[in-house]
Amino acid sequence: MARPTIPHIPSSEITPRTVYDGRRDFLKAAGFGLVSGAAIMSGLLPSASHAAQITRQKIERFGKTPYGQEETLTLYEDVTTYNNFYEFGTGKSDPAANAGLLKPHPWTVSIEGQIKKPKTITIEELLRLAPLEERIYRMRCVEGWSMVIPWVGFPLAELIKWAEPTGNAKFVEFVTLNNPMMMPGQNLAVLDWPYTEGLRMDEAMHLLTLLAVGLYGEVLPNQNGAPVRLVVPWKYGFKGIKSIVKIRFTEQMPVSAWMKANSREYGFYSNVNPAVDHPRWSQATERRIGDGLFARRRKTLMFNGYAEQVGQLYTGMDLRKYF
Ligand SMILES: Nc1nc2c(c(=O)[nH]1)N[C@H]1C(S)=C(S)[C@@H](COP(=O)(O)O)O[C@H]1N2
Ligand SMILES: [Mo]
């Protein structure tokens, strides 16, 4: 079956502009402000999906990286219609159907807690913090399915350096938008809204940890967590909190929404680990979306295959205890 290739901008086609100009183009094309009719028009592509009103917006400038070049990408259609985003319903197709209610701009992220000075950053400013790059990551949901997604973003470490946390900052907590008008799933008490997540500071600073603003060379679709979400490829998908409005540096380990909901089943670390089963099912294998329902399940790899890069973060820790 034909697989899509990664959107590719040959370096020969990148005009020698300043980075700043490039970003402005992206901001315009993304509808992130500076609205100019021509720029917007050039950024709009007809949607491939039947949800007719959804527009797809290209990201004009991002660097290529070697991450995941050997992987077969999960189809765009699957990445954007088979989602977990409980703020829009608990069914896999609910987010694609309902996330049109979310207005991802204007958008600001407030940065608080153990930092020199609390700040708020607009999505436009955030996009200027570091050059955007594309990274293809394997993603593993705790439910037992996996995907390969070409993200566009930059390392969370860049934002953390800009935020200037104090020496007391040991963890980072993330919070999703809390707005039942835009997120109708929040009218149901499935989770204690807003959705929250957390990382230890060294996990947050690890260069594999991304703040993503796009996928497949385009601005994040709402159902994938527009306008900005976390991507931590060695952890179960639920650590990848979507539509972030707050980042808080803390001394104490944050309690995530899933820990609150069920601390027996969901711990703070949530590292992909085929040797530590979920209390209700095995984590030894996974179904790669796109392989077909009758395909053999794949073996799940320690740290989702990123052990070489992240294993040392956990030396000496009992990963059965710190699951
Ligand atoms: N705010 C929020 N973030 C969330 C979720 C959610 O329900 N709400 N679901 C998580 C889970 S379980 C997964 S597997 C990933 C799915 O991301 P994707 O739909 O972009 O593949 O998002 C994570 N981030
Ligand atoms: Mo998940």
Side-chain angles (χ1 to χ4, degrees):
M1 196 215 269
R3 290 282 167 184
T5 51
I6 328 145
H8 181 72
I9 304 177
S11 45
S12 61
E13 269 180 43
I14 297 174
T15 51
R17 298 195 213 193
T18 65
V19 170
Y20 175 74
D21 276 353
R23 298 263 165 64
R24 283 188 62 225
D25 282 356
F26 165 58
L27 295 176
K28 284 191 246 170
F32 281 127
L34 299 166
V35 181
S36 119
I40 293 286
M41 289 309 290
S42 68
L44 294 183
L45 297 174
S47 170
S49 99
H50 11 265
Q53 63 278 62
I54 290 169
T55 53
R56 294 172 56 177
Q57 299 169 307
K58 260 190 184 162
I59 295 176
E60 300 292 338
R61 295 278 181 278
F62 55 88
K64 306 293 295 177
T65 63
Y67 294 92
Q69 291 296 330
E70 71 286 1
E71 302 284 346
T72 302
L73 300 183
T74 302
L75 291 170
Y76 177 89
E77 182 75 7
D78 288 334
V79 172
T80 57
T81 62
Y82 189 90
N83 301 103
N84 273 338
F85 201 168
Y86 280 15
E87 284 85 340
F88 298 103
T90 54
K92 293 286 175 279
S93 55
D94 290 341
N98 302 325
L101 290 166
L102 175 68
K103 294 282 156 281
H105 46 85
W107 193 273
T108 57
V109 180
S110 82
I111 321 241
E112 14 187 288
Q114 299 291 339
I115 56 175
K116 268 196 187 158
K117 187 167 150 262
K119 322 174 189 229
T120 58
I121 185 169
T122 64
I123 192 69
E124 291 84 359
E125 291 166 333
L126 184 138
L127 284 159
R128 264 182 246 122
L129 284 182
L132 295 179
E133 49 185 89
E134 180 178 71
R135 296 180 178 199
I136 297 164
Y137 281 165
R138 295 179 294 277
M139 306 303 298
R140 172 62 154 79
C141 178
V142 73
E143 296 165 339
W145 48 269
S146 64
M147 294 191 186
V148 176
I149 302 180
W151 298 108
V152 178
F154 58 78
L156 174 65
E158 300 281 358
L159 176 127
I160 294 178
K161 282 182 233 157
W162 171 84
E164 300 185 291
T166 69
N168 293 330
K170 301 286 184 285
F171 297 90
V172 194
E173 182 180 38
F174 305 85
V175 183
T176 294
L177 178 69
N178 193 13
N179 184 330
M181 299 290 282
M182 291 191 194
M183 297 180 148
Q186 289 179 333
N187 290 304
L188 305 172
V190 219
L191 287 170
D192 183 5
W193 311 112
Y195 195 102
T196 63
E197 258 306 337
L199 293 173
R200 211 171 60 190
M201 197 59 147
D202 57 347
E203 299 177 319
M205 287 297 292
H206 195 282
L207 290 181
L208 278 180
T209 304
L210 276 196
L211 267 185
V213 296
L215 57 80
Y216 266 102
E218 299 174 8
V219 169
L220 275 183
N222 287 353
Q223 60 268 36
N224 293 93
V228 59
R229 58 92 54 85
L230 189 68
V231 176
V232 195
W234 72 93
K235 292 178 181 284
Y236 291 114
F238 63 84
K239 297 299 276 188
I241 181 171
K242 295 174 168 180
S243 305
I244 297 168
V245 294
K246 194 183 295 184
I247 298 179
R248 183 166 31 226
F249 295 88
T250 66
E251 272 191 88
Q252 305 299 321
M253 179 181 289
V255 178
S256 69
W258 281 108
M259 291 165 75
K260 259 185 233 167
N262 192 337
S263 61
R264 204 177 74 84
E265 298 191 354
Y266 306 104
F268 178 78
Y269 285 93
S270 312
N271 291 317
V272 174
N273 189 338
V276 177
D277 288 337
H278 186 279
R280 289 183 280 136
W281 58 83
S282 163
Q283 292 292 23
T285 65
E286 65 200 58
R287 182 170 71 88
R288 177 65 54 83
I289 302 299
D291 276 355
L293 284 178
F294 305 105
R296 187 191 296 272
R297 291 172 69 90
R298 299 177 184 229
K299 280 206 165 75
T300 289
L301 301 173
M302 187 63 198
F303 297 117
N304 203 27
Y306 297 96
E308 209 178 292
Q309 291 98 312
V310 301
Q312 83 285 352
L313 295 174
Y314 309 103
T315 44
M317 283 178 66
D318 177 354
L319 297 179
R320 292 192 170 276
K321 184 169 172 216
Y322 299 103
F323 59 96

Short mmCIF file of all heavy atoms in Angstrom, two decimals, residues 109-152:
data_model
loop_
_atom_site.label_atom_id
_atom_site.label_comp_id
_atom_site.label_asym_id
_atom_site.label_seq_id
_atom_site.Cartn_x
_atom_site.Cartn_y
_atom_site.Cartn_z
N VAL A 109 -0.06 31.06 26.89
CA VAL A 109 0.35 30.04 27.86
C VAL A 109 0.93 30.80 29.05
O VAL A 109 1.80 31.65 28.86
CB VAL A 109 1.40 29.09 27.26
CG1 VAL A 109 1.81 28.02 28.28
CG2 VAL A 109 0.87 28.44 25.98
N SER A 110 0.43 30.52 30.25
CA SER A 110 1.02 31.19 31.41
C SER A 110 2.04 30.26 32.05
O SER A 110 1.85 29.05 32.14
CB SER A 110 -0.06 31.68 32.37
OG SER A 110 -0.49 30.63 33.20
N ILE A 111 3.15 30.88 32.45
CA ILE A 111 4.28 30.12 32.98
C ILE A 111 4.49 30.59 34.41
O ILE A 111 4.71 31.79 34.64
CB ILE A 111 5.54 30.39 32.12
CG1 ILE A 111 5.14 30.47 30.65
CG2 ILE A 111 6.63 29.37 32.42
CD1 ILE A 111 5.71 29.52 29.71
N GLU A 112 4.37 29.69 35.35
CA GLU A 112 4.37 30.09 36.76
C GLU A 112 5.12 29.13 37.66
O GLU A 112 5.70 28.17 37.19
CB GLU A 112 2.91 30.23 37.26
CG GLU A 112 1.86 29.64 36.36
CD GLU A 112 0.45 29.93 36.80
OE1 GLU A 112 0.03 29.35 37.82
OE2 GLU A 112 -0.24 30.72 36.13
N GLY A 113 5.05 29.42 38.94
CA GLY A 113 5.68 28.55 39.94
C GLY A 113 7.10 28.97 40.23
O GLY A 113 7.40 30.16 40.35
N GLN A 114 7.99 27.99 40.33
CA GLN A 114 9.38 28.22 40.72
C GLN A 114 10.19 28.80 39.56
O GLN A 114 11.02 28.12 38.96
CB GLN A 114 10.02 26.92 41.20
CG GLN A 114 9.34 26.30 42.41
CD GLN A 114 9.55 27.13 43.68
OE1 GLN A 114 10.48 27.93 43.77
NE2 GLN A 114 8.67 26.95 44.65
N ILE A 115 9.88 30.06 39.20
CA ILE A 115 10.67 30.75 38.17
C ILE A 115 10.97 32.16 38.66
O ILE A 115 10.31 32.67 39.55
CB ILE A 115 9.96 30.82 36.80
CG1 ILE A 115 8.57 31.47 36.90
CG2 ILE A 115 9.83 29.44 36.19
CD1 ILE A 115 7.91 31.66 35.54
N LYS A 116 11.98 32.76 38.05
CA LYS A 116 12.39 34.11 38.44
C LYS A 116 11.19 35.05 38.52
O LYS A 116 11.04 35.81 39.46
CB LYS A 116 13.40 34.66 37.41
CG LYS A 116 14.84 34.38 37.78
CD LYS A 116 15.75 35.27 36.95
CE LYS A 116 17.22 34.91 37.16
NZ LYS A 116 18.04 35.37 36.02
N LYS A 117 10.35 35.00 37.46
CA LYS A 117 9.24 35.94 37.36
C LYS A 117 8.16 35.26 36.52
O LYS A 117 8.45 34.78 35.42
CB LYS A 117 9.77 37.18 36.63
CG LYS A 117 8.86 38.35 36.55
CD LYS A 117 9.65 39.59 36.08
CE LYS A 117 8.77 40.53 35.30
NZ LYS A 117 8.90 40.38 33.85
N PRO A 118 6.91 35.20 37.02
CA PRO A 118 5.83 34.58 36.22
C PRO A 118 5.66 35.32 34.90
O PRO A 118 5.83 36.54 34.84
CB PRO A 118 4.59 34.74 37.09
CG PRO A 118 5.07 35.10 38.44
CD PRO A 118 6.44 35.71 38.30
N LYS A 119 5.33 34.58 33.84
CA LYS A 119 5.18 35.22 32.53
C LYS A 119 3.98 34.62 31.82
O LYS A 119 3.57 33.50 32.12
CB LYS A 119 6.40 34.94 31.63
CG LYS A 119 7.74 34.96 32.32
CD LYS A 119 8.82 34.53 31.32
CE LYS A 119 10.14 34.33 32.04
NZ LYS A 119 11.27 34.98 31.42
N THR A 120 3.49 35.36 30.85
CA THR A 120 2.58 34.74 29.88
C THR A 120 3.21 34.92 28.52
O THR A 120 3.89 35.91 28.26
CB THR A 120 1.17 35.37 29.88
OG1 THR A 120 1.30 36.74 29.59
CG2 THR A 120 0.46 35.18 31.20
N ILE A 121 2.99 33.94 27.68
CA ILE A 121 3.58 33.99 26.35
C ILE A 121 2.46 33.71 25.34
O ILE A 121 1.65 32.79 25.56
CB ILE A 121 4.75 32.98 26.23
CG1 ILE A 121 5.46 33.11 24.88
CG2 ILE A 121 4.32 31.55 26.50
CD1 ILE A 121 6.78 32.35 24.81
N THR A 122 2.39 34.51 24.31
CA THR A 122 1.39 34.25 23.28
C THR A 122 1.92 33.14 22.38
O THR A 122 3.12 32.87 22.35
CB THR A 122 1.11 35.49 22.40
OG1 THR A 122 2.33 35.80 21.70
CG2 THR A 122 0.68 36.68 23.26
N ILE A 123 1.03 32.53 21.64
CA ILE A 123 1.46 31.45 20.75
C ILE A 123 2.44 32.01 19.69
O ILE A 123 3.39 31.33 19.31
CB ILE A 123 0.25 30.71 20.13
CG1 ILE A 123 0.69 29.42 19.45
CG2 ILE A 123 -0.54 31.57 19.18
CD1 ILE A 123 1.16 28.34 20.39
N GLU A 124 2.25 33.26 19.29
CA GLU A 124 3.16 33.86 18.31
C GLU A 124 4.57 33.99 18.89
O GLU A 124 5.56 33.70 18.23
CB GLU A 124 2.67 35.25 17.88
CG GLU A 124 1.41 35.27 17.04
CD GLU A 124 0.14 35.21 17.89
OE1 GLU A 124 0.23 35.14 19.14
OE2 GLU A 124 -0.96 35.23 17.29
N GLU A 125 4.65 34.44 20.16
CA GLU A 125 5.96 34.57 20.82
C GLU A 125 6.59 33.19 21.02
O GLU A 125 7.79 33.01 20.84
CB GLU A 125 5.80 35.27 22.18
CG GLU A 125 5.43 36.73 22.06
CD GLU A 125 4.94 37.33 23.39
OE1 GLU A 125 4.42 36.59 24.25
OE2 GLU A 125 5.09 38.55 23.55
N LEU A 126 5.75 32.25 21.39
CA LEU A 126 6.26 30.89 21.62
C LEU A 126 6.90 30.34 20.35
O LEU A 126 7.96 29.73 20.39
CB LEU A 126 5.11 30.01 22.11
CG LEU A 126 5.44 28.57 22.49
CD1 LEU A 126 4.71 28.17 23.76
CD2 LEU A 126 5.10 27.59 21.39
N LEU A 127 6.26 30.60 19.21
CA LEU A 127 6.78 30.09 17.94
C LEU A 127 8.11 30.73 17.56
O LEU A 127 8.83 30.22 16.72
CB LEU A 127 5.75 30.34 16.83
CG LEU A 127 4.57 29.38 16.88
CD1 LEU A 127 3.37 29.94 16.15
CD2 LEU A 127 4.96 28.03 16.29
N ARG A 128 8.42 31.85 18.20
CA ARG A 128 9.68 32.52 17.91
C ARG A 128 10.81 32.13 18.86
O ARG A 128 11.93 32.60 18.72
CB ARG A 128 9.47 34.04 17.98
CG ARG A 128 9.20 34.67 16.62
CD ARG A 128 9.04 36.19 16.74
NE ARG A 128 7.68 36.56 16.41
CZ ARG A 128 6.85 37.21 17.22
NH1 ARG A 128 7.23 37.60 18.42
NH2 ARG A 128 5.64 37.50 16.81
N LEU A 129 10.52 31.28 19.84
CA LEU A 129 11.54 30.92 20.83
C LEU A 129 12.66 30.08 20.25
O LEU A 129 13.80 30.16 20.70
CB LEU A 129 10.91 30.13 21.99
CG LEU A 129 10.11 30.91 23.03
CD1 LEU A 129 9.62 29.96 24.11
CD2 LEU A 129 10.95 32.02 23.64
N ALA A 130 12.34 29.25 19.28
CA ALA A 130 13.35 28.34 18.73
C ALA A 130 12.92 27.94 17.32
O ALA A 130 11.74 27.99 16.99
CB ALA A 130 13.48 27.12 19.61
N PRO A 131 13.90 27.52 16.49
CA PRO A 131 13.53 27.10 15.14
C PRO A 131 12.67 25.83 15.18
O PRO A 131 12.89 24.95 16.01
CB PRO A 131 14.88 26.79 14.47
CG PRO A 131 15.94 27.13 15.43
CD PRO A 131 15.33 27.41 16.76
N LEU A 132 11.68 25.80 14.30
CA LEU A 132 10.84 24.60 14.23
C LEU A 132 11.56 23.50 13.47
O LEU A 132 12.29 23.76 12.52
CB LEU A 132 9.52 24.94 13.51
CG LEU A 132 8.62 25.93 14.22
CD1 LEU A 132 7.37 26.19 13.38
CD2 LEU A 132 8.22 25.42 15.61
N GLU A 133 11.37 22.29 13.92
CA GLU A 133 11.96 21.15 13.23
C GLU A 133 10.96 20.01 13.15
O GLU A 133 10.02 19.95 13.94
CB GLU A 133 13.24 20.69 13.94
CG GLU A 133 13.08 20.50 15.43
CD GLU A 133 14.42 20.15 16.09
OE1 GLU A 133 15.15 21.08 16.49
OE2 GLU A 133 14.70 18.95 16.19
N GLU A 134 11.19 19.14 12.17
CA GLU A 134 10.32 17.97 12.06
C GLU A 134 11.01 16.74 12.63
O GLU A 134 12.18 16.50 12.35
CB GLU A 134 9.97 17.69 10.60
CG GLU A 134 9.08 16.46 10.46
CD GLU A 134 8.69 16.19 9.03
OE1 GLU A 134 9.55 15.78 8.24
OE2 GLU A 134 7.52 16.41 8.71
N ARG A 135 10.28 16.00 13.45
CA ARG A 135 10.81 14.75 14.02
C ARG A 135 9.76 13.66 13.91
O ARG A 135 8.61 13.86 14.34
CB ARG A 135 11.15 14.93 15.49
CG ARG A 135 12.25 15.93 15.72
CD ARG A 135 12.48 16.01 17.18
NE ARG A 135 13.56 16.92 17.51
CZ ARG A 135 14.18 16.89 18.67
NH1 ARG A 135 13.83 16.00 19.58
NH2 ARG A 135 15.14 17.74 18.92
N ILE A 136 10.16 12.55 13.37
CA ILE A 136 9.25 11.42 13.26
C ILE A 136 9.44 10.55 14.51
O ILE A 136 10.53 10.05 14.76
CB ILE A 136 9.55 10.62 11.97
CG1 ILE A 136 9.28 11.52 10.77
CG2 ILE A 136 8.71 9.35 11.93
CD1 ILE A 136 9.89 11.02 9.48
N TYR A 137 8.38 10.43 15.31
CA TYR A 137 8.45 9.67 16.55
C TYR A 137 7.45 8.51 16.52
O TYR A 137 6.33 8.66 16.04
CB TYR A 137 8.07 10.56 17.74
CG TYR A 137 9.14 11.50 18.26
CD1 TYR A 137 8.76 12.54 19.12
CD2 TYR A 137 10.49 11.36 17.96
CE1 TYR A 137 9.70 13.41 19.66
CE2 TYR A 137 11.44 12.24 18.49
CZ TYR A 137 11.04 13.25 19.34
OH TYR A 137 11.96 14.11 19.88
N ARG A 138 7.87 7.41 17.12
CA ARG A 138 6.94 6.32 17.41
C ARG A 138 6.14 6.73 18.65
O ARG A 138 6.72 7.22 19.62
CB ARG A 138 7.70 5.03 17.72
CG ARG A 138 8.49 4.46 16.55
CD ARG A 138 9.22 3.20 16.96
NE ARG A 138 10.25 3.47 17.96
CZ ARG A 138 11.48 3.91 17.67
NH1 ARG A 138 11.85 4.13 16.41
NH2 ARG A 138 12.35 4.15 18.64
N MET A 139 4.84 6.56 18.60
CA MET A 139 3.97 6.91 19.71
C MET A 139 3.25 5.66 20.19
O MET A 139 2.74 4.89 19.37
CB MET A 139 2.93 7.96 19.27
CG MET A 139 3.51 9.23 18.63
SD MET A 139 4.69 10.11 19.66
CE MET A 139 3.66 10.57 21.05
N ARG A 140 3.18 5.45 21.49
CA ARG A 140 2.56 4.24 22.05
C ARG A 140 1.50 4.64 23.06
O ARG A 140 1.80 5.25 24.09
CB ARG A 140 3.66 3.38 22.70
CG ARG A 140 3.19 2.18 23.50
CD ARG A 140 2.45 1.15 22.66
NE ARG A 140 2.54 -0.19 23.23
CZ ARG A 140 1.80 -0.63 24.25
NH1 ARG A 140 0.92 0.15 24.82
NH2 ARG A 140 1.97 -1.87 24.68
N CYS A 141 0.24 4.30 22.77
CA CYS A 141 -0.84 4.58 23.73
C CYS A 141 -0.89 3.47 24.76
O CYS A 141 -0.63 2.31 24.45
CB CYS A 141 -2.19 4.69 23.02
SG CYS A 141 -3.57 4.98 24.15
N VAL A 142 -1.24 3.83 25.99
CA VAL A 142 -1.32 2.86 27.08
C VAL A 142 -2.36 1.78 26.77
O VAL A 142 -2.32 0.69 27.31
CB VAL A 142 -1.62 3.58 28.42
CG1 VAL A 142 -3.07 4.06 28.48
CG2 VAL A 142 -1.28 2.72 29.62
N GLU A 143 -3.30 2.10 25.85
CA GLU A 143 -4.34 1.13 25.50
C GLU A 143 -3.83 0.00 24.60
O GLU A 143 -4.56 -0.95 24.35
CB GLU A 143 -5.49 1.85 24.77
CG GLU A 143 -6.20 2.86 25.64
CD GLU A 143 -7.07 3.82 24.86
OE1 GLU A 143 -6.86 3.99 23.64
OE2 GLU A 143 -7.97 4.42 25.46
N GLY A 144 -2.61 0.13 24.08
CA GLY A 144 -2.04 -0.98 23.32
C GLY A 144 -1.91 -0.76 21.83
O GLY A 144 -1.54 -1.68 21.10
N TRP A 145 -2.20 0.45 21.35
CA TRP A 145 -1.99 0.75 19.93
C TRP A 145 -0.86 1.75 19.78
O TRP A 145 -0.48 2.44 20.72
CB TRP A 145 -3.27 1.25 19.26
CG TRP A 145 -4.00 2.35 20.00
CD1 TRP A 145 -4.99 2.18 20.93
CD2 TRP A 145 -3.79 3.76 19.90
NE1 TRP A 145 -5.41 3.40 21.41
CE2 TRP A 145 -4.69 4.39 20.78
CE3 TRP A 145 -2.95 4.57 19.13
CZ2 TRP A 145 -4.77 5.78 20.94
CZ3 TRP A 145 -3.02 5.95 19.28
CH2 TRP A 145 -3.91 6.53 20.18
N SER A 146 -0.31 1.80 18.58
CA SER A 146 0.81 2.71 18.35
C SER A 146 0.71 3.34 16.96
O SER A 146 -0.02 2.85 16.09
CB SER A 146 2.14 1.99 18.51
OG SER A 146 2.29 0.97 17.54
N MET A 147 1.42 4.43 16.80
CA MET A 147 1.46 5.16 15.53
C MET A 147 2.86 5.69 15.32
O MET A 147 3.68 5.68 16.25
CB MET A 147 0.52 6.37 15.56
CG MET A 147 -0.95 6.07 15.65
SD MET A 147 -1.89 7.59 15.34
CE MET A 147 -3.55 7.01 15.69
N VAL A 148 3.14 6.16 14.11
CA VAL A 148 4.38 6.87 13.83
C VAL A 148 3.98 8.23 13.25
O VAL A 148 3.29 8.29 12.24
CB VAL A 148 5.26 6.11 12.82
CG1 VAL A 148 6.51 6.92 12.48
CG2 VAL A 148 5.65 4.74 13.39
N ILE A 149 4.38 9.29 13.94
CA ILE A 149 3.85 10.62 13.58
C ILE A 149 4.99 11.61 13.31
O ILE A 149 5.92 11.73 14.11
CB ILE A 149 2.94 11.16 14.73
CG1 ILE A 149 1.80 10.17 14.99
CG2 ILE A 149 2.40 12.55 14.37
CD1 ILE A 149 0.83 10.58 16.09
N PRO A 150 4.93 12.28 12.16
CA PRO A 150 5.92 13.34 11.90
C PRO A 150 5.50 14.66 12.54
O PRO A 150 4.70 15.41 12.00
CB PRO A 150 5.91 13.45 10.36
CG PRO A 150 4.54 13.01 9.95
CD PRO A 150 3.99 12.10 11.03
N TRP A 151 6.03 14.91 13.74
CA TRP A 151 5.69 16.12 14.48
C TRP A 151 6.50 17.30 13.97
O TRP A 151 7.62 17.13 13.50
CB TRP A 151 5.99 15.95 15.97
CG TRP A 151 5.21 14.85 16.63
CD1 TRP A 151 5.68 13.64 17.05
CD2 TRP A 151 3.81 14.87 16.95
NE1 TRP A 151 4.66 12.91 17.60
CE2 TRP A 151 3.51 13.62 17.56
CE3 TRP A 151 2.78 15.81 16.79
CZ2 TRP A 151 2.22 13.30 18.00
CZ3 TRP A 151 1.51 15.48 17.24
CH2 TRP A 151 1.24 14.25 17.83
N VAL A 152 5.98 18.49 14.16
CA VAL A 152 6.75 19.72 13.96
C VAL A 152 6.71 20.49 15.28
O VAL A 152 5.64 20.69 15.85
CB VAL A 152 6.18 20.59 12.82
CG1 VAL A 152 7.00 21.88 12.68
CG2 VAL A 152 6.17 19.82 11.51
#
